[in-house]
Amino acid sequence: MTRGPALEDLRARLNPAQWEAVTHTDGPLLILAGAGSGKTRVLTYRIAYLIGAAGVSPREILAVTFTNKAAREMIRRVEALLGTDSAGVWIGTFHGICLRILRAHGHLLAVGPDFTIYDTDDQRRLAKAVVEEMGLDPRRVSPGKLLHRVGRWKDEGVPADRVPDEVEEDVREFYRRYQDRLREARAMDFGDLLLETLLLFEAHPDLADHYRRRFRHVLIDEFQDTNRVQYRLAVHLARLHGNLCVVGDDDQSIYAWRGADVRNILSFEEDFPGARVVKLEQNYRSTQAILDAAWSVVSRNRHRHPKRLWTDRNDGDPVVVHEARTEEEEAAWVADTIAELRRQGMPLGEIAVLYRVHALSRPLEEALLTRAIPYVVYGGLRFYDRKEVKDALAYLRLVLNPDDPMAFRRVVNVPPRGIGASTVAAVEELARREGLGLHRAAQEAVTGGRLRTRQARSLGTFLGLLDGWRRLLGTVPLRELLLRILEDSGYLESLPRLDPREARERRENLQELLNAAETFEREEGGDPKAFLDRAALVSDQDLGPDRAEVVTLMTLHAAKGLEYRVVFLTGLEEGVLPHQFSMWEDGEVEEERRLCYVGMTRAKDRLFLSRARIRTLYGRDGGIREPSRFLGDLPAGVFRRVEPEPASPWPPQQAPAPADAPPADGGRYIQPEPGAVAFRAGMRVRHPTYGPGRIVRVQGRGPATKLVVRFAGATRKLLAWMSDIEVAAEDL
Ligand code: ATP
Ligand code: MG
């Protein structure tokens, strides 16, 4: 056995139960423990121990995390512990890992190796088309519901031809046809990535065996949120050696609505009899007051493994409960409290504001904006779900797979180029009738005299553009390819026709996409297909900048696994948390309770809970809202109630500027004509989103000019012509 350089260090940084979990490397291991007890830390140290001390090669390890971001973080820590490269460890989400396997053995799949991944939007359109094709009335039979049912079958690991006969015929037929259409389009949806991998292993035992031999150690974080098919995949992979280590907390199971199944924890002990079970009871994250408050909420659930955490940290400050009159006042209180904490020296990156649903973020954002407190909203509309980003990627998809019907429909007339729905229908009809790929059919339609001259010409031009971009594949960098597509297609040019704010936002997002392409090129070699895979797999939990100097706003779901010194949990009202759709069923209230527990246990030092008596939500105006039942569960003595102020001062007082602040927002700023300004370092500028700043550096020339600008929140790199930046009149 070789000894890793930092082995003694590892041991010193773990408690005995954690160390036992790290070093128990032979046979199945279940670590069942509460929030902040070091589960993720144990997995990280275990990987380091396996490589550094137990002589396991990195390529024999498979680790599953809940987000891609968590995967990157874990690998970074392992490398820091080992002081070496841990390249070769397979680490990622279940979806990412399955995609990798499917791409590697694509020749065995019905869709081939170059399949497209459908996102929820594509799925919905396809579902709608299938419902119409079946002659069902979409107003009576909701495509969304059918899709949901199909999703649940996939989560259960049941393919279309194995759905039991008792299930309604319409549902079974929908599932079958939906899969047929996917296959024709050479596409998979998210659920397929998991299910197809399982089916692949079943159909090719030799292949399953190959991976089983390879992965001598399988580790899974957030095990309570795995669904059935993920569980079966894990069992498949670990069957040979039985070295499966899973960590989870039944109190934090919050994805039942997506098919996650806490019963996997129970199955584990059945499928692996004699599995070692380790419990961790010491919490290293939070103060006792925070733990007591969180425990009082979750311990009312009937279905849970009883456990209670302790900490040797002191009681800390009491949890603060604030009852505001309105959502605006709640937001003002949150923002004022943050301003005060900042004044006391709390870094903004250590502060998170959590809520049950995204709709709650708007007043919070406004309150932070007026106080010039930089923040980032994490998740929400996924960056890659934004219209302009999806349009751009649909173009790229079409360049790679000219038969992709969803991508074709999406961009063939965006921006408008006179190719209407009837032309598209004619092409699709032709493809179906003659059994042609969509691209061939479009070509035939152009030359075959089936369309009116003007439409044929427009379609011909579009196909010509596609061919042109296809010829660029492999010859120009990814970023340039994307930029060319956006320019040649007329997409960028069409933006100013929109409302200016909208246009600006879209331009910024496209700029961000180009940046992402450039980074991808630099870090992973710019294969466009791999870039699309990445875009498809990024979840809303993965995005968001590194939290340097900004407050983070996000949903409770997105906060899983994270920790912050200060946490605000807002909207503690009946109908919000617990959510109105989950208020009546016991099982669902239990999940809401767990969600509340997850939120509270993100806090290390300070926890603030708030609610508003009046809130407008879902377009319904100002109903009086009852306090969340979870507030009523808090034991006296751990919290302090703050009453609303008579009236919040208006306009709100400005928070003091940070020490290295850029110039104040005084004077006159002018938006220069593109190309008319010579940007130089030192110029004062103002950006519509980031506010005033100063140019630190200018890179490149002409349309490629990039500006490095220091704003109050952060220093950012912007593409000059795309960013709507204004220059101080005096500096021009
Ligand atoms: P969650 O359930 O929220 O995912 P977790 O059980 O995965 O939490 P970790 O995130 O691994 O917990 O650990 C919580 C915090 O406690 C981290 O900051 C971690 O570094 C710290 N920690 C865990 N174990 C120890 C230890 N033995 N000594 C010092 N710090 C520890
Ligand atoms: Mg964790």
Side-chain angles (χ1 to χ4, degrees):
M1 199 159 85
T2 56
R3 287 228 134 187
L7 185 60
E8 279 315 313
D9 272 10
L10 291 190
R11 180 170 200 161
R13 290 193 238 168
L14 297 169
N15 67 34
Q18 290 174 329
W19 179 246
E20 183 198 339
V22 164
T23 54
H24 176 80
T25 53
D26 284 322
L29 175 66
L30 168 65
I31 302 167
L32 198 55
S37 58
K39 296 184 296 300
T40 302
R41 185 178 174 109
V42 162
L43 285 192
T44 310
Y45 279 57
R46 186 176 163 94
I47 296 174
Y49 178 84
L50 286 169
I51 298 172
V56 175
S57 149
R59 61 187 305 283
E60 296 174 317
I61 299 174
L62 175 70
V64 186
T65 55
F66 202 69
T67 63
N68 299 304
K69 194 171 184 160
R72 284 195 297 277
E73 179 65 19
M74 194 174 276
I75 213 68
R76 202 180 57 73
R77 297 218 166 145
V78 168
E79 290 181 349
L81 286 171
L82 286 175
T84 59
D85 195 6
S86 61
V89 175
W90 269 41
I91 181 162
T93 62
F94 269 110
H95 287 94
I97 287 161
C98 287
L99 179 58
R100 190 164 166 186
I101 293 174
L102 291 172
R103 289 268 188 238
H105 309 284
H107 55 285
L108 300 173
L109 302 172
V111 288
D114 293 333
F115 55 87
T116 305
I117 302 170
Y118 271 14
D119 62 19
T120 39
D121 208 40
D122 299 323
Q123 284 178 268
R124 263 187 237 126
R125 287 166 199 243
L126 181 59
K128 200 160 150 270
V130 172
V131 164
E132 279 164 17
E133 176 189 306
M134 285 170 65
L136 305 173
D137 179 357
R139 277 163 308 179
R140 224 174 36 78
V141 186
S142 138
K145 279 206 183 113
L146 287 169
L147 202 53
H148 182 79
R149 301 226 5 215
V150 165
R152 291 298 77 81
W153 286 118
K154 289 184 180 176
D155 290 338
E156 288 290 308
V158 180
D161 56 4
R162 284 190 222 156
V163 176
D165 290 342
E166 303 85 75
V167 174
E168 306 95 289
E169 175 56 28
D170 275 355
V171 176
R172 281 183 289 142
E173 170 151 3
F174 173 86
Y175 191 177
R176 274 196 303 272
R177 288 195 189 223
Y178 175 81
Q179 292 308 119
D180 288 345
R181 294 291 157 278
L182 280 173
R183 197 167 43 245
E184 283 163 22
R186 292 195 282 135
M188 291 200 190
D189 66 16
F190 288 121
D192 284 335
L193 295 179
L194 306 175
L195 178 57
E196 289 294 328
T197 307
L198 186 66
L199 296 177
L200 189 70
F201 283 168
E202 282 177 10
H204 302 277
D206 50 319
L207 195 69
D209 222 51
H210 161 78
Y211 283 105
R212 238 172 252 150
R213 281 177 203 291
R214 167 167 179 170
F215 296 127
R216 283 175 52 207
H217 291 274
V218 179
L219 300 81
I220 305 178
D221 199 2
E222 306 277 4
F223 185 63
Q224 76 281 355
D225 280 326
T226 48
N227 63 29
R228 212 52 206 170
V229 72
Q230 292 169 335
Y231 179 75
R232 281 169 56 190
L233 276 167
V235 172
H236 244 294
L237 286 171
R239 197 178 285 149
L240 192 62
H241 303 285
N243 297 332
L244 177 59
C245 168
V246 303
V247 313
D249 177 5
D250 54 326
D251 286 337
Q252 293 186 69
S253 157
I254 55 174
Y255 279 98
W257 53 281
R258 241 168 49 178
D261 196 340
V262 220
R263 279 173 305 170
N264 286 340
I265 291 181
L266 302 177
S267 308
F268 187 86
E269 295 187 81
E270 282 161 22
D271 285 336
F272 296 95
R276 176 76 137 271
V277 179
V278 173
K279 295 198 169 159
L280 307 175
E281 276 152 3
Q282 180 169 1
N283 173 296
Y284 289 89
R285 181 180 292 148
S286 313
T287 62
Q288 193 64 48
I290 291 168
L291 285 184
D292 287 346
W295 186 80
S296 71
V297 170
V298 85
S299 61
R300 298 200 181 228
N301 274 349
R302 274 182 299 143
H303 304 283
R304 66 185 289 268
H305 287 79
K307 55 181 147 356
R308 184 153 190 177
L309 293 163
W310 61 275
T311 175
D312 61 14
R313 294 190 57 178
N314 56 17
D315 283 355
D317 292 306
V319 173
V320 172
V321 176
H322 179 73
E323 314 208 305
R325 268 187 300 254
T326 63
E327 60 197 304
E328 282 77 20
E329 286 189 13
E330 180 194 40
W333 175 76
V334 169
D336 286 339
T337 311
I338 291 176
E340 175 59 23
L341 288 165
R342 166 156 88 173
R343 214 183 45 74
Q344 294 168 6
M346 177 66 69
L348 295 183
E350 285 291 347
I351 303 176
V353 184
L354 311 180
Y355 34 74
R356 174 66 176 87
V357 287
H358 267 296
L360 264 59
S361 73
R362 189 195 46 81
L364 292 164
E365 288 188 61
E366 282 165 13
L368 291 168
L369 267 175
T370 51
R371 287 163 187 74
I373 299 174
Y375 67 89
V376 56
V377 184
Y378 203 39
L381 192 54
R382 258 178 16 130
F383 173 72
Y384 286 102
D385 279 343
R386 291 176 200 277
K387 178 179 179 334
E388 56 281 8
V389 175
K390 287 186 66 163
D391 288 344
L393 293 182
Y395 271 110
L396 190 59
R397 263 163 69 173
L398 209 49
V399 170
L400 292 173
N401 174 4
D403 291 335
D404 183 332
M406 290 299 156
F408 180 78
R409 275 201 207 172
R410 183 165 185 108
V411 296
V412 68
N413 203 32
V414 175
R417 47 174 78 91
I419 307 178
S422 62
T423 310
V424 173
V427 171
E428 286 175 343
E429 167 62 25
L430 184 65
R432 226 180 346 259
R433 212 177 44 235
E434 310 271 320
L436 298 173
L438 203 57
H439 188 246
R440 266 301 295 289
Q443 285 171 327
E444 300 259 306
V446 169
T447 52
R450 285 167 222 264
L451 300 173
R452 270 182 278 142
T453 329
R454 237 190 48 217
Q455 286 158 346
R457 201 175 314 132
S458 307
L459 187 56
T461 311
F462 180 68
L463 294 179
L465 283 172
L466 280 180
D467 287 342
W469 297 324
R470 200 163 309 130
R471 277 195 296 275
L472 292 178
L473 277 178
T475 66
V476 300
L478 181 58
R479 179 182 193 287
E480 194 179 324
L481 176 64
L482 271 169
L483 188 56
R484 285 284 288 274
I485 290 176
L486 291 171
E487 283 171 347
D488 301 350
S489 63
Y491 198 92
L492 285 180
E493 226 175 300
S494 72
L495 288 180
R497 274 178 242 152
L498 303 166
D499 147 73
R501 206 184 126 163
E502 177 79 32
R504 189 180 65 224
E505 213 168 273
R506 292 202 184 174
R507 255 198 323 258
E508 281 172 5
N509 286 330
L510 289 173
Q511 182 195 328
E512 198 55 46
L513 181 69
L514 294 177
N515 289 347
E518 193 174 323
T519 311
F520 185 76
E521 183 104 40
R522 196 173 51 242
E523 288 173 2
E524 345 226 329
D527 173 21
K529 207 181 344 160
F531 184 65
L532 287 174
D533 278 354
R534 160 79 76 82
L537 288 186
V538 175
S539 69
D540 55 359
Q541 289 106 321
D542 290 322
L543 295 167
D546 296 324
R547 35 184 250 213
E549 299 150 37
V550 299
V551 176
T552 306
L553 271 56
M554 67 186 145
T555 64
L556 291 166
H557 280 103
K560 201 166 83 148
L562 305 178
E563 58 188 20
Y564 292 85
R565 285 175 64 189
V566 179
V567 169
F568 291 83
L569 185 45
T570 64
L572 276 156
E573 296 135 34
E574 289 289 297
V576 178
L577 184 65
H579 193 269
Q580 54 181 356
F581 297 146
S582 313
M583 273 169 61
W584 313 111
E585 293 258 351
D586 274 358
E588 293 181 348
V589 173
E590 294 213 343
E591 179 143 328
E592 296 290 307
R593 213 174 256 292
R594 291 193 291 268
L595 205 45
C596 186
Y597 171 78
V598 168
M600 295 167 91
T601 53
R602 299 308 96 201
K604 295 186 189 173
D605 303 339
R606 304 291 311 267
L607 176 61
F608 297 90
L609 308 174
S610 64
R611 69 146 178 136
R613 294 198 189 122
I614 299 175
R615 180 186 306 277
T616 307
L617 201 58
Y618 311 118
R620 256 176 290 138
D621 219 19
I624 302 283
R625 293 183 177 271
E626 295 295 317
S628 167
R629 63 192 79 180
F630 306 148
L631 282 177
D633 296 335
L634 298 181
V638 302
F639 72 95
R640 179 165 60 87
R641 204 175 280 275
V642 193
E643 285 308 318
E645 310 268 314
S648 15
W650 195 264
Q653 284 148 8
Q654 288 288 325
D660 66 339
D665 193 0
R668 202 160 61 88
Y669 288 82
I670 295 173
Q671 167 131 44
E673 285 298 310
V677 173
F679 289 106
R680 23 166 235 283
M683 264 183 170
R684 282 167 301 156
V685 295
R686 189 170 63 188
H687 185 274
T689 312
Y690 309 128
R694 199 185 273 282
I695 298 180
V696 183
R697 214 168 34 247
V698 181
Q699 299 171 338
R701 294 173 48 200
T705 307
K706 282 188 204 141
L707 307 176
V708 180
V709 183
R710 185 158 52 78
F711 295 106
T715 300
R716 291 174 190 273
K717 198 193 245 184
L718 307 165
L719 203 57
W721 65 279
M722 276 180 94
S723 59
D724 272 358
I725 210 153
E726 297 172 323
V727 180
E730 292 165 45
D731 285 358
L732 269 176

